[in-house]
Amino acid sequence: PCLQFKMQIPSRCMEEQKHIVDELNCIVKIKEQRQQELQLLDNLIKFQFILISMVNMLPLSAICSN
């Protein structure tokens, strides 16, 4: 059986609609920036792992000198 729900959608003036759109656009921009930030952090972690792996392959004499 198909369920039907009745919902009233409030009428908004154009100014209020524009304000809502601006807020939603701001939220989308913040979300995109956070995704980019996570990608950069992921790249940093990968780079650090590679760097640590490379350092572990070096002989101790190449790292420390007395």
Side-chain angles (χ1 to χ4, degrees), residues 9-60:
I9 298 175
S11 177
R12 308 274 185 192
C13 68
M14 187 57 71
E15 185 178 316
E16 191 173 355
Q17 289 181 37
K18 287 180 182 181
H19 176 72
I20 291 169
V21 167
D22 288 343
E23 286 188 357
L24 289 172
N25 285 336
C26 184
I27 291 168
V28 167
K29 185 175 180 179
I30 290 170
K31 182 180 177 230
E32 290 171 351
Q33 289 172 340
R34 294 299 176 257
Q35 288 174 333
Q36 183 181 14
E37 182 179 333
L38 287 172
Q39 183 62 49
L40 291 171
L41 288 169
D42 189 51
N43 290 344
L44 177 63
I45 290 169
K46 289 176 184 176
F47 174 75
Q48 289 176 331
F49 179 79
I50 291 170
L51 187 61
I52 289 170
S53 297
M54 290 173 64
V55 167
N56 286 337
M57 286 189 244
L58 292 174
L60 191 57

